[in-house]
Structure formats: C-alpha cells, structure tokens
Amino acid sequence: MKNISCFLFIIFSLCTTYTSAQTSKNIFSDDLKFYKDSLPVKHKNLFAKLSKPEFNAMITHLEAQTAGISAEKFYVEIMKIQAAIGDEHSTIIPPYTTKYPVKFERFDDGLVVTSTDEANKQLLLSKVIRIGDKTLSEAEKAVSPVIISGNIPYFNVAEASYLASPGLLYALNLSPSPNELKLELLSPTGETLKVKLNAIPKTKQVDMVYAPVYGSLLANTHKENYWYLIEKGSLYFNYNKCEDDPKKPFEAFNDNLFKEIEKQKPNRIIIDLRMNGGGNSAVLEPFIEKIKNHVLNKKGKIFVLIGRATFSSAIMNAIKLKKETKAILVGETTAGTINHYGEVRAFNLPNTKLQVNYSTQYWENWKGHDGPLVPDVKIEKNLSDLLKGNDKTLNYVMGN
C-alpha cells in the first residue's frame, strides 16, 4: 500500500507574474473560476464534509471581493475554502517569497520558539505571549479559519507553521507589514523579551540554531530516515521518514536490525514514529512482517511512539502495528486521522501560481475508527520536561 504525500505545513516558493493588461479582479476571478472548475473533478470526493452548495457559496462570496483585493488577502480567502473541505492532505500553498528566521512548536503549556538564527538565539525556548499587538489567543483565533477544524493536534501543528509566515500574518492583520514581525515572549528564566524580526528571502539559506538541550535527546542524535541502537536492554528503532534511502536500502537495514535482535536479545523493541510526517507506507512492510512473527511479539514487548507530528503513511504504519502485533501506542494524539483521503497530487492556479494540493484516494485504515489516532498511554509534551532534557515518552517506555 502506497501513500505519498507532502506534510501540509511546508510552503514552497513559487514565482508570480502578471500581464499588465490584466486587472487584479480579472487575475483573481480567473483563478477562482479555474479552482472551482478543477478541484471537484480532480479530488477523490471533494464534498465528503463540505456540501457542493456550501462550496459554491464560499466561491461566490470570494468572487464578490475580488475587485481591489490584495494578493495576500486572496490567498487567505481561498485557504479558508480549502480548509473548510476538511481534508488534511488537501492544502493551499501560496507563492510566498519571504520567511521569518524562527520556528515555533506547540507544547501543552505554550507556543515555544524552538529554532532561530544565531542573531536571535536568546529567544530559544521562550513562550510566545503576543504576536504584533495581539495576544496569542487572539492570534490563534485569527489563524483558525485557514486551518481544518475539529482536530486539536492538527491545529497545533498548522498554527506553529502559519504563525511564522510573513504574508499570512500580514493578511490576517497580525503584523502591520509583510516584512516585519514584533513578538513578545517569556524566557525560561521569567524575563519578558520584546523583539522585531525582519523577513528574509525564502531562498536564503539560514543556519538555524536549536537549544543545546535538543542535542541531549536520543531521538535527535541521528538525521537518517531510519536508524537503531540498543540501550538499557531496549532496541530503539527511530523511523523518521517513510522513504527508502538509496544509500541504505530499508530491506538491507531491516535484515541487519533483526540480526542485531537475535544477537543482543533485547527485552523490548521501541519504534519511534513521533516525527514521521509520512511518505510511502510500504517501506516499513518488511519490518512489520518480521516482527509480527517474532518472539518479541508479546504484550509489553513492543512499543510504538506516536505524536502530533505523526502523519499520513506513518499513521498507517502505526495502525498496522497496532492491529497485527501486540504493540502498545505511547505518546500524543496524532494530527493526522486514522481513515483519510491521501495520495496527493497538485495543480497551480494560472495567474497567482497558488499550489492546490488534492487527494486522489481514500484510505480506510481501520474500519469503525474515526478521528486521529489516540495512544494507549498518553504522555503530555511539556516545555518544563524539555528544559530538563527529559524525554518523558521514551523514559516511560524504557522504564516498563
């Protein structure tokens, strides 16, 4: 089974060119008509959650605004329509050309700066208090219409990405300029920090800095798509991306992994899918086929770690391990849903060059189960634990 997808929160740079003979209204009207005519034909089932009359009404509402609308506002309005469709794989990627040198992550106790450039490293691990002149809750309310509703983990992941996007923040009136962002933060030591970030070209390479504590976490010690080690009697298998590595083909990797299991005889095996955003679900099949017939396939011997970033094909892998082995799921509820539309394709609107992602197949991965994948053992993800270098989810499993 194959499910190739782009994780929804990556925004690519696309060139935008208009002819001088066209008015803004014609540009946006033409693109809106192209969108309205194309998406229902291409999508597997566009009206599964949003009715056709509702879809058409939203199109008509936007059409009435196209005269004099800014490009940034048009992007936001069409993103609202796409979000209302309710398909986590069907997203809009605007042709933004700038970015802010900052990355956020949502923890249970706040939205946190997890990465930035060298010039702003004093902001690392600080909680966001205000964005522009808005409180964080006001900013979340502003951004919510462009995010699929009904799934809090999905919202948390999307929010963290969108609140670092210059064009989107400007269109949502969260910043007075598409080139400048003011933040108020609370540092880990309780100090209030106020900073102004300037937008930079999206094509510019920036060496992003993480807090040193990240390097102390086992899950962050390797960058490969998949790797393993044995520690404290446990075989820890980090499956970071559902993608075969030509330099280290998964089948050969899998053979070596099981040779190591036979040699070392670990007490348990831990499969870490917490940061796996998907790809091809079939890559992990050789592992699943072997582990389900292995002596370790007993209750309390196989643990699968999942989190809000576990998405798409990684969720399919987690579900199959849950259904076909004695695996115990540990961690957070996922952003992606159990049964979902996927197998993503894309087209660009002719004038604005917005990239429209759409699903071409429906995956019923677990009949009778709706919504996101919920762990058997839920472990909260708190900033206070990260500051101590405590991977609470992994430590829980190691201690069982």
Side-chain angles (χ1 to χ4, degrees), residues 7-9 88-89 108 148-158 271-278 304-319 322 329-340 365-366 369-379 381:
F7 200 17
L8 74 164
F9 312 119
E88 63 210 34
H89 283 87
D108 285 355
I148 294 172
S149 62
N151 184 344
I152 293 174
Y154 185 99
F155 177 88
N156 288 339
V157 176
I271 305 103
D272 195 342
L273 302 175
R274 288 176 294 177
M275 295 306 296
N276 193 321
V304 178
L305 311 187
I306 59 174
R308 63 192 67 177
T310 308
F311 195 75
S312 193
S313 292
I315 290 179
M316 296 168 75
N317 292 149
I319 291 168
K322 177 65 179 175
L329 304 182
V330 182
E332 300 176 289
T333 300
T334 61
T337 51
I338 294 171
N339 302 312
H340 58 261
N365 299 306
W366 202 349
H369 290 72
D370 295 320
L373 185 60
V374 179
D376 300 306
V377 180
K378 187 173 182 180
I379 307 290
K381 188 174 184 179

Side-chain angles (χ1 to χ4, degrees), residues 260-363:
E260 195 69 17
I261 289 176
E262 299 309 315
K263 179 181 177 181
Q264 300 289 343
K265 301 191 182 324
N267 297 321
R268 64 183 69 83
I269 185 165
I270 302 164
I271 305 103
D272 195 342
L273 302 175
R274 288 176 294 177
M275 295 306 296
N276 193 321
N280 184 350
S281 62
V283 174
L284 195 63
E285 286 296 325
F287 171 82
I288 296 175
E289 288 303 309
K290 280 200 173 185
I291 198 63
K292 70 182 185 182
N293 297 311
H294 197 273
V295 67
L296 277 174
N297 188 16
K298 296 177 181 177
K299 189 174 181 179
K301 297 292 185 180
I302 303 177
F303 296 88
V304 178
L305 311 187
I306 59 174
R308 63 192 67 177
T310 308
F311 195 75
S312 193
S313 292
I315 290 179
M316 296 168 75
N317 292 149
I319 291 168
K320 192 160 188 177
L321 284 163
K322 177 65 179 175
K323 291 169 64 176
E324 299 188 9
T325 75
K326 302 292 185 181
I328 298 171
L329 304 182
V330 182
E332 300 176 289
T333 300
T334 61
T337 51
I338 294 171
N339 302 312
H340 58 261
Y341 290 90
E343 203 71 33
V344 178
R345 300 292 182 267
F347 64 88
N348 294 106
L349 300 187
N351 298 307
T352 58
K353 307 304 179 185
L354 270 77
Q355 179 177 316
V356 181
N357 294 330
Y358 62 93
S359 296
T360 62
Q361 188 165 337
Y362 181 70
W363 298 100

Side-chain angles (χ1 to χ4, degrees), residues 141-264:
K141 184 177 181 180
V143 80
S144 62
V146 299
I147 302 174
I148 294 172
S149 62
N151 184 344
I152 293 174
Y154 185 99
F155 177 88
N156 288 339
V157 176
E159 170 204 25
S161 175
Y162 289 165
L163 290 181
S165 171
L168 188 58
L169 292 177
Y170 176 63
L172 292 171
N173 298 315
L174 293 174
S175 63
S177 162
N179 301 308
E180 179 182 294
L181 175 63
K182 293 181 180 179
L183 294 173
E184 183 177 323
L185 308 110
L186 184 66
S187 77
T189 59
E191 180 185 1
T192 298
L193 304 175
K194 294 184 179 181
V195 64
K196 181 178 72 175
L197 298 178
N198 295 315
I200 58 176
K202 190 173 279 289
T203 54
K204 183 178 180 179
Q205 294 297 315
V206 179
D207 291 329
M208 299 294 281
V209 178
Y210 285 84
V213 69
Y214 273 94
S216 68
L217 303 178
L218 179 61
N220 298 331
T221 55
H222 295 70
K223 300 300 182 184
E224 297 95 334
N225 292 358
Y226 34 80
W227 54 277
Y228 70 86
L229 56 77
I230 293 181
E231 184 174 286
K232 299 179 182 178
S234 300
L235 187 139
Y236 173 77
F237 168 27
N238 188 299
Y239 189 56
N240 202 41
K241 185 182 292 187
C242 301
E243 183 179 315
D244 200 43
D245 183 349
K247 296 180 180 178
K248 184 167 59 175
F250 186 80
E251 287 203 19
F253 166 86
N254 192 58
D255 289 341
N256 289 333
L257 185 152
F258 277 92
K259 286 178 183 177
E260 195 69 17
I261 289 176
E262 299 309 315
K263 179 181 177 181
Q264 300 289 343

